[in-house]
Amino acid sequence: MMSADAGSGVAKRRTRERSQRGARPGSKTSRAAVARRQAAAPPDSRPRRKVLAVTSGKGGVGKTNIVTNLAIALARQGARVLVLDGDLGLANVDLLLGIAPQYDLQDMILGDRRIEDIVLEGPDGIRVVPASSGVEELANLDEYRTECLLRSLSDIEGDLDLILIDTPSGIGTHAVALSQAADEIIVVTTPEPTSFSDAYAMIKVLSQRPLKCVPALLVNQANSENEALEVSKRVQAVAKRFLNIEVAYWGFVLADESVPKSVIRQEPFLSTYPYSPASSCINRLARRVLGMSPEGKGNGNGNGNSGPYRLVTPDEVPESV
């Protein structure tokens, strides 16, 4: 699975449009209004709904694609899901979902909009809190305003079951702070040595902070289940030896040509190619997140991949998909 690099041209155009919007009279608040907002006390508490953070040690591992498609898979299982684009300075969630926000976190954090004003509805009824692209002040958000952002989610959690946070890549302060706020953390890696080395680095940094859970590992862009298992075993062994923690293995997503095709179309691959190998893997992950058997209930024939989300091979994908 590839990252959202294919949408970079659209992202640049979107940044220019937002800059022009900010130049129009009345589109942004005055400096005094911004100062008042920064001085305002944050909400009393963080959201009580389950929060799942998806992070990675490096960029380009397909983390945002995982988040957007996982949200849709969860919604199709009946969960009410909100996606928070936590990569505040280099947003991509709205691009991958093909939605165009009128307002985003820039308007809330640096302006006078409330979080209720910027939430959008995406595919399959998921809700999205979009971030901005090319805004340096948001990319380097301080701890106080990060905390205000997290607590603001409590204002919209009433009709939600689960909040997914797409964190920035890397071991920066903002990525770690968002991961710390989560009830569960998924660290995404690929089979490349540099990627799972950076995934271990992320796990190491997180293990040195107060967490609600031990991070779990997801292997993306795997050529086979065996390859993903080998990667997970290497990371788990190193984490056990040097950090003395048991990193759970939450599965894999197969390398699939339907993924880059969907990125170019700015549509989730779970919608455009619902029977693809990558979609089957995401459905398995959704079942795990919901506490269900990743393999389904089974049909009594001893087939471990039985059930509604049996993995398919590329040869089994219908030509019409």
Side-chain angles (χ1 to χ4, degrees):
M1 184 179 298
M2 65 177 287
S3 68
D5 293 341
S8 61
V10 179
K12 292 177 181 177
R13 183 167 63 253
R14 181 182 62 181
T15 302
R16 289 196 298 270
E17 291 170 352
R18 286 175 177 165
S19 299
Q20 293 167 359
R21 184 188 70 194
R24 292 199 301 265
S27 63
K28 295 292 179 185
T29 55
S30 65
R31 185 173 300 177
V34 173
R36 285 197 300 270
R37 183 160 189 84
Q38 292 175 356
D44 293 335
S45 63
R46 290 181 175 180
R48 295 178 176 84
R49 294 294 186 267
K50 181 178 179 180
V51 178
L52 171 64
V54 182
T55 190
S56 63
K58 62 174 292 187
V61 299
K63 170 178 56 63
T64 301
N65 245 327
I66 296 290
V67 172
T68 53
N69 286 277
L70 175 59
I72 293 173
L74 290 167
R76 292 178 180 178
Q77 289 282 350
R80 298 170 299 175
V81 184
L82 173 78
V83 176
L84 169 64
D85 192 341
D87 199 348
L88 303 185
L90 295 170
N92 280 318
V93 167
D94 54 333
L95 285 174
L96 290 181
L97 292 175
I99 56 180
Q102 181 179 5
Y103 303 108
D104 54 42
L105 283 172
Q106 178 182 0
D107 299 281
M108 189 192 86
I109 296 173
L110 305 179
D112 61 353
R113 296 288 172 181
R114 300 177 304 167
I115 193 164
E116 297 96 322
D117 299 328
I118 67 175
V119 175
L120 298 173
E121 183 168 327
D124 289 83
I126 67 172
R127 303 175 73 189
V128 180
V129 177
S132 298
S133 187
V135 182
E136 184 177 2
E137 189 170 0
L138 291 183
N140 301 305
L141 204 64
D142 58 58
E143 291 184 6
Y144 174 78
R145 287 191 288 185
T146 299
E147 182 66 22
C148 288
L149 168 60
L150 290 169
R151 293 193 176 197
S152 69
L153 296 176
S154 61
D155 294 335
I156 56 174
E157 70 170 344
D159 57 350
L160 297 175
D161 299 311
L162 182 64
I163 298 173
L164 297 184
I165 301 179
D166 178 24
T167 77
S169 302
I171 59 175
T173 302
H174 187 54
V176 173
L178 290 176
S179 297
Q180 280 185 269
D183 301 295
E184 291 180 333
I185 305 168
I186 298 177
V187 179
V188 180
T189 184
T190 69
E192 295 179 1
T194 54
S195 180
F196 60 73
S197 175
D198 289 343
Y200 166 74
M202 186 66 180
I203 294 170
K204 179 179 179 180
V205 170
L206 289 173
S207 70
Q208 297 169 350
R209 305 292 185 93
L211 296 176
K212 300 178 183 179
C213 65
V214 176
L217 188 70
L218 178 74
V219 181
N220 193 22
Q221 301 176 16
N223 292 311
S224 67
E225 181 174 3
N226 288 337
E227 181 181 53
L229 282 171
E230 287 301 315
V231 171
S232 68
K233 288 177 181 178
R234 294 181 67 173
V235 176
Q236 287 172 319
V238 176
K240 177 63 177 177
R241 178 179 179 183
F242 295 103
L243 306 178
N244 195 31
I245 60 174
E246 301 282 352
V247 175
Y249 173 51
W250 272 32
F252 61 97
V253 179
L254 292 170
D256 185 349
E257 63 179 11
S258 68
V259 176
K261 291 179 180 179
S262 298
V263 171
I264 293 173
R265 294 171 59 171
Q266 291 184 254
E267 296 180 15
F269 60 80
L270 205 63
S271 299
T272 52
Y273 300 94
Y275 305 108
S276 66
S279 292
S280 297
C281 294
I282 287 293
N283 283 322
R284 283 173 47 133
L285 176 62
R287 293 180 64 85
R288 182 181 290 277
V289 170
L290 293 173
M292 305 164 65
S293 169
E295 305 293 352
K297 296 181 180 180
N299 55 13
N301 62 3
N303 183 358
N305 282 333
S306 61
Y309 299 127
R310 180 183 65 85
L311 283 177
V312 298
T313 65
D315 294 337
E316 294 179 280
V317 179
E319 290 293 333
S320 59
V321 174

